[in-house]
Amino acid sequence: MGRAFVYVIVGGGVAAGYAAHEFVKRGVSQGELCIISEEPVAPYERPALSKGYLLPEAPARLPSFHCCVGTHEERLAPKWYKEHGIELILGTRVKSADVRRKTLLTATGETISYKYLIVATGARYMLLLLLCNFSHFLMYENVQVILELVVWLPWTKFNFDCIRPGQVDIIKRPKLVNVMQSCTGGNAVVIGGGYIGMECAASLVINKLNVTMVTAVNLRDGNKLPADMVVIGIGIRPNTSLFEGQLTMEKGGIKVNGKMQSSNSSVYAIGDVAAFPVKVVGETRRLEHVDSARKSARHAVAAIKEPEKTGEFDYLPFFYSRVFTLSWQFYGDNAGEVVHFGDFSGNTFGAYWIHKGQLVGSFLEGGTKEQYEAIAQATRLKPKVEDLTELERLGVEFALSV
Ligand code: FAD
């Protein structure tokens, strides 16, 4: 049993959605493109999950955050794919790939062949786990999990060091949001202070939980943190296993060139799974942010459709977060010496990173559109900075004057 497509995207997350959008913009015929995704729903924007999805009032729900809502373009609900002749093969895991034969084998036993393959398999959480009344926990591995996965196990078997999905019985799968609501008024512990942990903590507070943020929990030493609920957000691992031994890897991801093309010329990689040359920092990086997923996806499709006209991907690393009423943006690299500026008790403050006498990174909280554009532009231009005290005094004015 098998089907053949000109273009196949494996993975159905943010990068896949934006790649499909770019294919349609550049022209794709009925039946030429398919997306194979382990998730049961069409590609959607992840940032909504730790922000709008957990809100107690008017929470975001699909279809409101399908792909392209994040860039204010037409939203790619399932109907959109149908109208453009794109095959969505959902709820289907690709279990092996043969890049020499240009084929994929799905868990349902179907062989799918391609002319061009775009790998958009993203990354999996090492562990993001939620514990309620110490009688069960939820584990977020990816967004699908955020929407519905809960793994229950008796507290007596619980051990932070040895939880692996294969080791536990899946008895019931209520939604995370229901468990969170059932803990209202209780205590939550959030392990990991990255932006997802921060955003989740803010959502829990808004849902009336008392939140403690820590960086590690060790229940073996006898210490017990009072908690009705625990959330763990300690990072991710790229989903590269389908291609180990077949494609060149770097920085834990699939190494690609400035056209997002891997060591096999028919295979491209985009989003969290791709390690690509970031010109502005002069090295190969793997980035785990939505803007990079969107733009690398568009660039790969441009390179496939119009190779002669498409140059090297020249990406300025960018990411953002929102916690309570705070909202910030970061551009570039956090290397070198950091210079803080602004009023930390007020609305607008930030930081610059100076490396080898040049501005290489900028962070701004509470900026205007014009100020954010200015720090992005200044970071890209990498101006020389000689006087750090003066830089601190000028703050965002420095970026506006570059
Ligand atoms: P993903 O969106 O993770 O998609 C990967 C897809 O591949 C999934 O559909 C998965 O099921 C599928 N897949 C994997 N293996 C297989 C297989 N073998 N067969 C079939 N399908 C497979 N970034 C920001 O910049 N700002 C934010 O505020 C922000 N907030 C976030 C909040 C949350 C809760 C999450 C989870 C992420 C957030 N991110 C944010 C990160 C951003 O969403 C990711 O960088 C982005 O989703 C990466 O896109 P991707 O397509 O590479 O991977």
Side-chain angles (χ1 to χ4, degrees), residues 10-16 36-39 44-51 92-95 120-125 142-144 146 195-196 199 239 242 270-273 287-291 293 318-322:
V10 56
V14 172
I36 312 171
S37 176
E38 216 173 348
E39 294 186 77
Y44 56 91
E45 308 276 356
R46 276 50 177 155
L49 295 169
S50 50
K51 302 177 180 72
T92 305
R93 187 171 60 85
V94 171
K95 71 173 194 188
T121 46
R124 222 162 264 279
Y125 282 101
N142 58 26
V143 177
Q144 176 189 355
I146 287 189
Y195 67 87
I196 291 184
E199 289 174 2
N239 290 320
L242 291 173
I270 56 179
D272 285 6
V273 79
L287 302 176
E288 296 166 355
H289 298 297
V290 74
D291 183 65
F318 160 64
F319 87 108
Y320 71 96
S321 185
R322 288 197 297 272

Side-chain angles (χ1 to χ4, degrees), residues 9-313:
I9 301 172
V10 56
V14 172
Y18 282 81
H21 195 242
E22 193 65 25
F23 268 116
V24 168
K25 267 172 54 184
R26 290 175 182 268
V28 67
S29 304
Q30 173 93 22
E32 274 189 337
L33 169 64
C34 92
I35 296 177
I36 312 171
S37 176
E38 216 173 348
E39 294 186 77
V41 292
Y44 56 91
E45 308 276 356
R46 276 50 177 155
L49 295 169
S50 50
K51 302 177 180 72
Y53 189 80
L54 296 177
L55 291 178
E57 280 172 35
R61 291 288 180 270
L62 288 174
S64 72
F65 55 96
H66 275 298
C67 275
C68 288
V69 68
T71 46
H72 311 293
E73 294 161 288
E74 58 184 328
R75 193 179 312 142
L76 313 190
K79 191 165 156 259
W80 180 90
Y81 294 90
K82 201 164 183 196
E83 281 167 4
H84 292 93
I86 299 168
E87 184 91 19
L88 278 182
I89 305 176
L90 301 177
T92 305
R93 187 171 60 85
V94 171
K95 71 173 194 188
S96 65
D98 184 334
V99 301
R100 205 172 47 81
R101 294 203 164 106
K102 298 190 179 187
T103 56
L104 303 172
L105 179 64
T106 70
T108 54
E110 187 178 14
T111 299
I112 292 180
S113 58
Y114 59 82
K115 189 168 172 206
Y116 296 95
L117 176 67
I118 299 184
V119 184
T121 46
R124 222 162 264 279
Y125 282 101
M126 290 198 280
L127 192 64
L128 175 57
L129 159 158
L130 203 150
L131 184 74
C132 194
N133 296 329
F134 286 129
S135 60
H136 61 271
F137 68 88
L138 298 99
M139 199 158 60
Y140 285 2
E141 279 187 345
N142 58 26
V143 177
Q144 176 189 355
V145 175
I146 287 189
L147 287 176
E148 63 179 24
L149 176 65
V150 180
V151 181
W152 296 67
L153 92 171
W155 169 239
T156 47
K157 286 190 201 162
F158 186 76
N159 180 334
F160 277 102
D161 292 331
C162 71
I163 294 165
R164 287 195 294 275
Q167 290 182 319
V168 295
D169 290 333
I170 297 177
I171 301 164
K172 203 175 169 187
R173 295 159 72 104
K175 288 183 177 173
L176 155 70
V177 74
N178 297 342
V179 176
M180 181 180 71
Q181 284 160 359
S182 77
C183 291
T184 298
N187 297 310
V189 173
V190 175
I191 304 171
Y195 67 87
I196 291 184
M198 293 280 287
E199 289 174 2
C200 220
S203 296
L204 295 174
V205 170
I206 294 168
N207 278 278
K208 299 194 170 28
L209 275 102
N210 307 310
V211 178
T212 308
M213 292 193 75
V214 293
T215 53
V217 167
N218 187 348
L219 296 179
R220 279 186 174 167
D221 70 0
N223 286 331
K224 282 190 181 172
L225 291 168
D228 303 294
M229 181 173 180
V230 176
V231 177
I232 301 181
I234 53 171
I236 56 174
R237 292 243 166 84
N239 290 320
T240 54
S241 59
L242 291 173
F243 305 96
E244 300 285 350
Q246 300 192 75
L247 301 177
T248 305
M249 301 287 161
E250 193 171 328
K251 303 262 163 87
I254 297 171
K255 184 179 182 182
V256 293
N257 61 20
K259 298 198 173 189
M260 311 312 291
Q261 190 176 34
S262 75
S263 53
N264 178 299
S265 61
S266 303
V267 181
Y268 291 70
I270 56 179
D272 285 6
V273 79
F276 61 91
V278 181
K279 280 189 186 180
V280 73
V281 297
E283 62 179 52
T284 294
R285 294 255 172 110
R286 200 178 54 71
L287 302 176
E288 296 166 355
H289 298 297
V290 74
D291 183 65
S292 153
R294 292 167 180 157
K295 289 180 179 154
S296 62
R298 293 203 187 283
H299 197 83
V301 176
I304 290 169
K305 297 289 281 183
E306 295 188 272
E308 308 306 328
K309 288 191 193 163
T310 307
E312 305 282 302
F313 190 39

